[in-house]
């Protein structure tokens, strides 16, 4: 099966069962299928067919999901566009992906040669049964553009084999069933929002509640009214929720777990959150190039704080040195991944594809180690490693120490040039709500917990730490903003 035919299967099995909902209303399985058929007819009328690319520049809403299935029904490909991008950035993605149609909330297209469709104009009237959806699992399904912190964004090519495999793995690892209900709060322009929060629960027979932008003031109201059984979020969201006033005591009894990914979270944050709200957080790890997820702390079984869990069923994880030789248990090296979830490659970039996929193994650029039971601990990005006087320093260790202080919401550590040491450690910290950060207290904490060479030479307090579109800390922006250390 490909996801092009999932709406048909759900409508056959349970036509009146819940499928998706957003702030404007809900769709049963039969209604979802009807809307998908109508949207597919509209796309056909706009000239979309097999091999074409449809760009979606939309906020989180049900029509995004409808258009996913409608596009795949025609054998075409979806490229999601971050609504916050500038016209120049949107035009670059449209040109690189060769998109033929752009679906928008409103307004003109940023590229003259791409047809624009306002989402409010999308057909929704019932249409007669259409031809059977294509079953070619090698057809491209998603073209996901990386966040671009290392340069111009690249198009990650994911075919139906990739997303089918990832959703099957996810449903198995998360032990999802028809009674589950996912609350989507991450953006749908990112692979996590699409695959983990929409496709995986729908494949398992579960339903999805689509929320708008995350708002800590209303998040738990949504939990209490919609009664989800799980959701995915980034560490920043969990940090904000953990810092809410003590009188905030929501009913979280419907939640089986929360998933924490996209960036490393400290063991202290995970423990503090779970103690307060009464449901576990499952930290996981993955990349867009691996269709989102490769490891997860188990739903049933030991959860090891500070690790990102074990490999998803059907995936393999190795730790290798620069020559590709396997490292021993507990030894740091590059994390490499193999499985049917690994991307086809970067669009139009064969040389870069060949550098990151070697003999079927995806080279992640992340550094970590495995324990004897296969739990993965990340220590940083290879490109983020700081070398001070010949000593290798991974920022995550320092960030975890700083984030453990109650006055700190989030921390980011970078290396800056130094004429004596080569690089020195500089930390940026964002205060927790209603808190004031005392840099002297943080320096004292680092003195207590870190070797001398790992301690920050300076701690910069900022109102907000720079992030990219998917909530990861943007260290390139921090490096660019920071002047070299004084001589």
């Amino acid at each position: 099966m490909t996801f092009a035919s999932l709406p048909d299967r759900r409508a056959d099995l349970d036509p009146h069962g819940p499928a998706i909902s957003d702030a404007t209303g809900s769709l049963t399985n039969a209604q979802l299928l009807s809307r998908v058929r109508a949207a597919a007819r509209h796309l056909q009328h706009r000239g979309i067919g097999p091999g074409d690319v449809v760009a979606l520049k939309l906020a989180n809403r049900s029509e995004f999901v409808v258009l996913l299935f409608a596009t795949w029904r025609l054998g075409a490909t979806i490229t999601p566009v971050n609504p916050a991008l500038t016209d120049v950035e949107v035009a670059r993605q449209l040109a690189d992906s060769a998109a033929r149609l752009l679906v928008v909330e409103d307004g003109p297209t940023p590229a003259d040669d791409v047809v624009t469709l306002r989402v409010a104009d999308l057909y929704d009237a019932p249409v007669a049964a259409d031809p059977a959806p294509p079953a070619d699992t090698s057809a491209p399904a998603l073209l996901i553009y990386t966040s671009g912190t290392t340069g111009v964004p690249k198009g990650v090519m994911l075919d139906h084999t990739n997303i089918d495999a990832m959703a099957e793995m996810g449903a198995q690892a998360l032990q999802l069933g028809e009674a589950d209900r996912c609350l989507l709060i991450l953006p749908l322009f990112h692979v996590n929002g699409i695959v983990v929060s929409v496709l995986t629960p729908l494949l398992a027979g579960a339903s999805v509640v689509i929320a708008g932008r995350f708002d800590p003031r209303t998040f738990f109201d949504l939990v209490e009214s919609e009664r989800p059984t799980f959701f995915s979020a980034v560490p920043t969201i969990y940090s904000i929720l953990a810092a809410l006033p003590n009188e905030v005591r929501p009913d979280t009894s419907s939640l089986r777990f929360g998933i924490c990914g996209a960036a490393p979270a400290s063991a202290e944050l995970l423990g503090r959150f779970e103690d307060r709200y009464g449901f576990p957080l499952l930290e996981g790890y993955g990349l867009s190039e691996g269709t989102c997820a490769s490891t997860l702390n188990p739903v049933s079984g030991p959860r090891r704080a500070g690790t990102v869990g074990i490999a998803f069923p059907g995936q393999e994880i190795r730790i290798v040195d620069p020559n590709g030789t396997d490292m021993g248990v507990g030894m740091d090296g590059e994390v490499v991944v193999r499985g049917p979830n690994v991307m086809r490659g970067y669009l139009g970039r064969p040389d870069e594809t060949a550098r990151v996929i070697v003999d079927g193994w995806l080279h992640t650029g992340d550094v970590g180690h495995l324990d004897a039971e296969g739990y993965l601990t990340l220590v940083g990005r290879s490109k983020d490693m700081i070398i001070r006087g010949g000593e290798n320093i991974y920022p995550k260790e320092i960030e975890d120490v700083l984030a453990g202080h109650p006055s700190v919401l989030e921390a980011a550590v970078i290396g800056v040039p130094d004429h004596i040491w080569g690089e020195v450690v500089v930390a940026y910290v964002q205060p927790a709500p209603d808190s004031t950060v005392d840099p002297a207290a943080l320096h004292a904490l680092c003195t207590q917990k870190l070797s001398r060479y790992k301690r920050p030479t300076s701690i910069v307090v900022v109102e907000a730490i720079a992030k990219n579109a998917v909530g990861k800390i943007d260290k390139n922006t921090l490096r660019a903003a920071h002047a070299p250390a004084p001589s």
Side-chain angles (χ1 to χ4, degrees):
M1 186 209 82
T2 65
F3 274 98
S5 60
L6 181 61
D8 304 72
R9 190 177 78 176
R10 287 180 62 102
D12 285 343
L13 292 173
D14 185 11
H16 303 297
I20 60 175
S21 64
D22 63 12
T24 66
S26 60
L27 297 175
T28 66
N29 291 320
Q31 289 169 334
L32 174 61
L33 176 59
S34 176
R35 291 281 299 275
V36 168
R37 285 173 169 166
R41 179 67 56 86
H42 199 160
L43 297 181
Q44 275 186 318
H45 288 173
R46 292 299 185 103
I48 300 301
D52 289 331
V53 175
V54 175
L56 304 183
K57 185 184 176 218
L58 298 174
N60 283 12
R61 56 190 300 160
S62 291
E63 288 86 354
F64 193 113
V65 179
V66 168
L67 284 160
L68 278 179
F69 291 120
T71 301
W72 294 336
R73 204 170 188 83
L74 302 177
T77 305
I78 285 286
T79 187
V81 180
N82 179 357
L85 294 183
T86 66
D87 285 352
V88 171
E89 292 167 322
V90 174
R92 182 170 58 205
Q93 181 173 336
L94 296 179
D96 190 73
S97 64
R100 291 199 57 201
L101 178 68
L102 171 66
V103 184
V104 297
E105 301 283 343
D106 209 344
T109 176
D112 295 336
D113 55 345
V114 179
V115 176
T116 300
L117 171 64
R118 291 176 63 250
V119 71
D121 297 332
L122 190 65
Y123 295 172
D124 59 7
V127 300
D130 49 359
D136 181 8
T137 59
S138 66
L142 291 172
L143 188 55
I144 302 289
Y145 278 78
T146 57
S147 53
T149 57
T150 56
V152 175
K154 302 183 288 288
V156 174
M157 297 186 291
L158 302 176
D159 61 20
H160 282 277
T161 295
N162 295 143
I163 63 172
D164 290 355
M166 187 71 256
E168 290 277 6
M169 294 171 182
Q172 183 178 340
L174 297 173
Q175 300 176 11
L176 299 183
E178 295 178 8
D180 279 299
R181 187 165 173 80
C182 177
L183 175 60
L184 168 68
I185 57 173
L186 295 179
L188 272 171
F189 62 78
H190 186 246
V191 69
N192 188 308
I194 294 173
V195 177
V196 173
S197 295
V198 174
L199 299 183
T200 298
L202 290 181
L203 180 68
S207 60
V208 178
V209 179
I210 300 170
R213 292 176 63 90
F214 168 73
D215 185 340
R217 297 167 299 181
T218 59
F219 174 76
F220 283 119
D221 293 336
L222 270 174
V223 169
E224 291 181 340
S225 62
E226 297 292 347
R227 307 292 293 167
T229 59
F230 76 101
F231 65 95
S232 292
V234 297
T236 300
I237 288 177
Y238 290 115
S239 295
I240 292 170
L241 294 176
L244 288 175
N246 288 333
E247 60 267 23
V248 177
R249 295 290 170 181
D251 176 5
T252 61
S253 59
S254 69
L255 287 165
R256 295 203 290 127
F257 54 80
I259 302 170
C260 183
S266 68
E268 186 275 337
L269 168 62
L270 299 179
R272 180 159 46 94
F273 186 96
E274 293 180 28
D275 288 345
R276 175 168 180 180
Y277 292 116
F279 61 92
L281 298 185
L282 311 180
E283 191 175 9
Y285 160 75
L287 302 87
S288 297
E289 291 87 342
T291 322
C292 186
S294 288
T295 68
L296 184 74
N297 270 278
V299 174
S300 300
R303 286 183 291 116
R304 298 189 179 175
T307 80
V308 290
I310 57 177
F312 271 72
Q315 294 189 50
E316 300 172 78
I317 305 288
R318 292 167 54 216
I319 306 296
V320 299
D321 68 11
N323 298 316
T325 303
D326 285 311
M327 306 293 286
V329 170
M331 297 179 65
D332 289 335
E334 184 182 13
V335 181
V336 296
V337 177
R338 183 168 68 178
N341 56 300
V342 171
M343 68 172 179
R344 291 172 56 182
Y346 295 119
L347 178 67
R349 298 170 183 258
D351 292 343
E352 291 189 53
T353 300
R355 279 196 291 272
V356 300
I357 302 179
V358 180
D359 297 328
W361 289 91
L362 173 65
H363 286 247
T364 67
D366 290 312
V367 179
H369 58 261
L370 293 169
D371 67 15
E373 285 72 43
Y375 285 75
L376 174 64
T377 298
L378 297 176
V379 297
R381 290 283 294 171
S382 56
K383 66 180 180 62
D384 287 340
M385 185 175 70
I386 301 165
I387 303 177
R388 179 191 181 277
E391 296 277 7
N392 292 348
I393 302 169
Y394 290 105
K396 185 176 184 297
E397 181 183 4
I398 306 164
E399 291 164 352
D400 284 351
V401 169
L402 294 169
H405 194 279
S407 69
V408 175
L409 177 66
E410 206 162 29
V413 169
I414 60 171
V416 300
D418 182 85
H419 75 287
I420 295 176
W421 298 104
E423 286 184 299
V424 293
V425 177
V426 171
Y428 284 78
V429 296
Q430 178 178 338
D434 302 318
S435 295
T436 301
V437 170
D438 177 6
L442 296 184
H443 279 296
L445 181 66
C446 291
T447 298
Q448 177 188 352
K449 296 198 171 186
L450 296 169
S451 302
R452 180 182 294 275
Y453 72 93
K454 298 178 184 176
R455 297 172 195 162
T457 58
S458 64
I459 295 175
V460 182
V461 182
V462 293
E463 183 177 336
I465 293 176
K467 301 279 185 16
N468 64 23
V470 295
K472 296 181 182 180
I473 290 172
D474 187 351
K475 292 193 175 181
N476 277 358
T477 295
L478 295 179
R479 293 186 190 101
H482 196 94
S487 340

